[in-house]
Each structure stands twice: as C-alpha cells, then as structure tokens.
C-alpha cells in the first residue's frame, strides 16, 4: 500500500480505472467466447441442379471441446444447427483441445465431450467432416470414431456423391489437413466434371487454396469451406473488416482470413469457428454457426 501513498490522487484514479477496465475486458472476452451466433448467407451457382435449389447447408468448425470448451457449448452449437433443419451438415476440423501442442497431452474425456455434444444431429442428405491439426496431433482414431458413431462421413482425401429424388447429384470432397496430413485434390475431386456442382472441405485454408488454384482445381470446385483461423480469435478489429479486405484479393491476407470471398472460380467461406485455444477468450471474433442456402443461378 506504500506504493499507492506515493502517487497522486489523479494517478490513483487512473490506476484503479485501468484495473477495472482490465477485468471488464476479461469478462467481456470470456462471454464473447461462449456466445455463438448464427450467420445466414445465400449463394447462387450456375452448376447447381435445379432440384437442389434452396438446399440448406449448416457449417461449423473448430469446436475444440476440452480444456476451455465444455460439452454444453458443443451441445448449444448442435441445438442451433437443428433449429435450422439443414439438408447437409459440414464440419471442417479441430474438434478437441486438451493442451497446447508442445505439451503432447491428450485426454479421451475431451473426445467424449465432443461426442456427446454432437449427438442428435440429423440432415436429409447427410453429414460430412474432415479432421484438423489438433485432431491428428491428439488422437486421429478416437476423433474419427466419434464422428463415425454419430453418422458423419469422414472424407479426408476422399469424395462422396449425393443423389436426390430427381436423380440429380452433387458431390462433396475433402482434403487432409495441411499441417498433419496429405492435401490430395486429385482424390477430393475425382470423377467431378467441370459443370458439376462440387463442395470442398479443408481444415486449413491458405495453402490448400493456393494448391487448388495452382493445380487448376478451382475449375471443378464451386464452394470451398474451411476453418482453422478462428477469425483471429482475439482481433482488434471486427471480423467483417477482414472479410471486406479479403473479399476480392488474389490471395487472402494471412492470418486475417475470415468470411465470404471469391477465389478463382470458387466461392469460399472461412468460418471463425466455435471454440477457443491458448486462451479461453475471444475479442470481436464471435463463434458462429453458418447457414448457407444454395440457389440455382
């Protein structure tokens, strides 16, 4: 307390105000990290079959169940998804988080939190997922089994075709995580014609985006969905600022990669995700579920 006696009354007020502001910011950032929002987007595609017009996609990534994110938060995400009655559910990786990677720690309880949190998810045309770097760092088998047991198709470096009642089809492919797996666009676009409607899932966006463009795969991919960046998680500017500056760039600015953008012939959406890593906080980067309605152009 001798320290406080030596400073002026004005400086004491400034000092105490700074402490109060600090704790207010901590509370605000913690609440932001646990306040999931739903974002609605409508996208038009020439390649979309008319019989798939108004198909609704639910997109989510980076749940990071575990150290900071409880089962109830994952369950809240699932409840928000089911309220939208989606036709297709797409997950883009990083489902668990036990500790920073350098500690090489894994707890199966965190996979159980994720597993229990996604129970009850249903979609007319199915559920599809790729794995992220944290999933592969911690336990690829447990996380994959959790997804499979909940009816998800895990499509890392694979592709599946969806046929509807009108006998029209669309396809969904996925590539492996760039940091921990192969990124095989040949497998993820296998048997896709240039006038087919094709969705591509990738956990990490930047390098796969560049590989897709350099390899000419953007001619076959209509919609590219990714996560990983968390919208910076702690951003000193709103996420939509980063979305605006990246929207029509030749190559997105990393790590400020978030939102809807055009890249080559593709439409791209990079989500801010659901959970948190390193710190249990978010600033100007709200967790989100994204609902995309597909329209025939």
């Amino acid at each position: 307390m001798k320290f406080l006696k030596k400073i002026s009354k004005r400086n004491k007020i400034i000092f105490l105000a700074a402490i109060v502001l600090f704790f207010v910011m901590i509370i605000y950032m913690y609440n932001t990290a646990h306040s999931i929002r739903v974002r609605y987007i409508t996208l038009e595609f020439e390649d979309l079959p008319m019989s798939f017009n108004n198909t609704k996609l639910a997109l989510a990534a980076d749940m990071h169940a575990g150290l900071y994110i409880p089962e109830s938060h994952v369950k809240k995400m699932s409840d928000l998804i089911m309220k939208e009655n989606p036709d297709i559910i797409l997950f883009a990786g990083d489902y668990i988080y036990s500790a920073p990677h350098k500690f090489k720690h894994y707890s199966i309880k965190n996979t159980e939190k994720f597993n229990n949190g996604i129970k009850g998810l249903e979609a007319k045309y199915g559920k599809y997922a790729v794995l992220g770097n944290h999933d592969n760092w911690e336990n690829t088998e447990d996380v994959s089994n959790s997804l499979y047991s909940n009816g998800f198709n895990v499509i890392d470096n694979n592709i599946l075709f969806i046929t509807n009642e009108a006998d029209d089809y669309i396809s969904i492919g996925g590539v492996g995580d760039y940091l921990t797996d192969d990124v095989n666009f040949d497998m993820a676009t296998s048997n896709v014609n240039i006038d087919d409607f094709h969705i591509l899932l990738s956990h990490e966006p930047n390098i796969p985006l560049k590989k897709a463009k350099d390899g000419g795969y953007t001619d076959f991919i209509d919609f590219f969905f990714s996560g990983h960046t968390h919208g910076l998680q702690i951003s000193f500017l709103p996420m939509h600022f980063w979305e605006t500056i990246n929207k029509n760039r030749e190559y997105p600015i990393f790590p400020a990669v978030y939102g809807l953008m055009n890249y080559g012939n593709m439409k791209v959406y990079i989500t801010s995700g659901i959970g948190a890593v390193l710190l249990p906080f978010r600033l100007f980067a709200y967790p989100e579920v994204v609902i995309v309605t597909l329209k025939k152009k």
Side-chain angles (χ1 to χ4, degrees), residues 185-186 189 207-220 263:
F185 278 99
D186 285 335
T189 60
I207 301 302
L209 278 174
K210 190 172 189 306
K211 284 178 174 287
K213 188 170 185 181
D214 291 347
Y217 298 104
T218 57
D219 292 336
F220 299 91
Y263 189 76

Side-chain angles (χ1 to χ4, degrees), residues 188-199:
T189 60
S190 178
N191 296 316
V192 175
N193 298 317
I194 200 165
D195 56 351
D196 289 342
F197 181 79
H198 186 55
I199 298 170

Side-chain angles (χ1 to χ4, degrees), residues 96-159:
I96 61 173
Y97 181 66
S98 300
H101 174 49
K102 66 179 181 179
F103 291 100
K104 300 185 183 300
H105 172 65
Y106 166 64
S107 172
I108 194 171
K109 291 182 178 179
N110 296 330
T111 301
E112 291 170 356
K113 291 177 184 178
F114 171 68
N115 182 79
N116 295 334
I118 63 172
K119 286 186 181 301
L121 286 174
E122 297 294 340
K124 178 180 179 180
Y125 295 125
K127 299 168 285 187
Y128 307 85
V130 292
L131 300 182
N133 51 297
H134 284 276
D135 309 316
N136 289 325
W137 280 335
E138 294 196 31
N139 198 302
T140 302
E141 184 178 3
D142 283 357
V143 176
S144 297
N145 286 339
S146 175
L147 288 162
Y148 283 128
S149 68
N150 283 282
F152 276 82
N153 297 281
V154 181
I155 55 171
D156 296 64
N157 298 318
N158 205 346
I159 184 173

Side-chain angles (χ1 to χ4, degrees), residues 86-293:
D87 298 298
I88 298 171
I89 298 174
L90 304 176
F91 280 180
D94 271 9
Y95 307 113
I96 61 173
Y97 181 66
S98 300
H101 174 49
K102 66 179 181 179
F103 291 100
K104 300 185 183 300
H105 172 65
Y106 166 64
S107 172
I108 194 171
K109 291 182 178 179
N110 296 330
T111 301
E112 291 170 356
K113 291 177 184 178
F114 171 68
N115 182 79
N116 295 334
I118 63 172
K119 286 186 181 301
L121 286 174
E122 297 294 340
K124 178 180 179 180
Y125 295 125
K127 299 168 285 187
Y128 307 85
V130 292
L131 300 182
N133 51 297
H134 284 276
D135 309 316
N136 289 325
W137 280 335
E138 294 196 31
N139 198 302
T140 302
E141 184 178 3
D142 283 357
V143 176
S144 297
N145 286 339
S146 175
L147 288 162
Y148 283 128
S149 68
N150 283 282
F152 276 82
N153 297 281
V154 181
I155 55 171
D156 296 64
N157 298 318
N158 205 346
I159 184 173
L160 290 172
F161 289 79
I162 300 169
T163 304
N164 65 8
E165 301 86 347
D167 213 28
D168 292 325
Y169 68 88
I170 62 174
S171 52
I172 301 175
V175 295
D177 171 63
Y178 168 70
L179 295 173
T180 56
D181 197 0
D182 294 330
V183 179
N184 192 325
F185 278 99
D186 285 335
M187 295 295 294
T189 60
S190 178
N191 296 316
V192 175
N193 298 317
I194 200 165
D195 56 351
D196 289 342
F197 181 79
H198 186 55
I199 298 170
L200 194 288
L201 304 184
S202 172
H203 175 63
E204 199 279 329
N206 282 319
I207 301 302
L209 278 174
K210 190 172 189 306
K211 284 178 174 287
K213 188 170 185 181
D214 291 347
Y217 298 104
T218 57
D219 292 336
F220 299 91
I221 302 167
D222 295 275
F223 181 52
F224 181 106
F225 171 54
S226 188
H228 184 67
T229 67
H230 295 202
L232 289 179
Q233 189 169 313
I234 295 179
S235 171
F236 294 99
L237 291 167
M239 289 188 297
H240 293 301
F241 171 82
W242 305 117
E243 182 175 39
T244 299
I245 65 172
N246 279 316
K247 197 161 192 175
N248 292 301
R249 290 181 60 86
E250 179 69 15
Y251 191 62
I253 298 173
F254 184 81
V257 181
Y258 164 78
L260 183 65
M261 59 193 78
N262 297 311
Y263 189 76
N265 296 318
M266 304 185 300
K267 294 187 186 299
V268 175
Y269 193 86
I270 301 170
T271 180
S272 61
I274 299 294
V277 297
L278 297 180
L279 295 170
F281 308 124
R282 282 177 174 262
L283 178 64
F284 294 137
Y286 279 89
E288 65 177 9
V289 167
V290 184
I291 303 299
V292 176
T293 301

